[in-house]
Amino acid sequence: MMPTSELVDPAVRAFIDALNANDPAAVQAAMTENATMTDDGTPRQLGDWLEREAFETHGRMDVTQQSPDGRDLLVDYTNDQWGTMATRWHFEVLDQRVAHFDTGQAPAAS
């Protein structure tokens, strides 16, 4: 696993640190006011998704790989509901805050 201190993009790092701390206020502060997200390509209501998939179930992101710009990640995502799964994350950043993210299952390694 990669320590979050090694993440290249500060907005992405702030989002992950806040989610891993199970801190809804810090997650909100790391995102733009009208942030959006998709899960496996399907748009989701961001607040509901975060509550269900992260806060209520103690979600945690352990980054295993990042792109050179730090906005595309492979992550071992763990929560109390689903256990640990390999996921991919793509972040769009605006004014040093996360404006959109897409997450979903990572393709199987070949």
Side-chain angles (χ1 to χ4, degrees), residues 16-35:
I16 293 172
D17 283 340
L19 188 141
N20 286 351
N22 201 25
D23 186 340
V27 169
Q28 185 175 359
M31 302 185 76
T32 62
E33 183 178 338
N34 297 314

Side-chain angles (χ1 to χ4, degrees), residues 6-95:
E6 293 182 12
L7 296 176
V8 174
D9 190 287
V12 172
R13 182 172 53 246
F15 174 87
I16 293 172
D17 283 340
L19 188 141
N20 286 351
N22 201 25
D23 186 340
V27 169
Q28 185 175 359
M31 302 185 76
T32 62
E33 183 178 338
N34 297 314
T36 59
M37 58 98 40
T38 60
D39 186 353
D40 282 322
T42 302
R44 304 286 184 194
Q45 202 292 324
L46 178 60
D48 290 345
W49 188 92
L50 284 169
E51 190 63 32
R52 183 181 62 253
E53 299 292 337
F55 304 130
E56 289 178 358
T57 58
H58 307 104
R60 175 152 186 87
M61 298 175 73
D62 292 311
V63 178
T64 59
Q65 188 176 345
Q66 71 177 318
S67 63
D69 69 359
R71 294 186 180 175
D72 290 289
L73 308 176
L74 291 180
V75 172
D76 286 340
Y77 189 78
T78 303
N79 70 23
D80 294 345
Q81 180 176 2
W82 304 108
T84 300
M85 65 189 96
T87 58
R88 53 153 181 78
W89 295 70
H90 170 75
F91 291 89
E92 296 174 18
V93 174
L94 177 66
D95 297 328

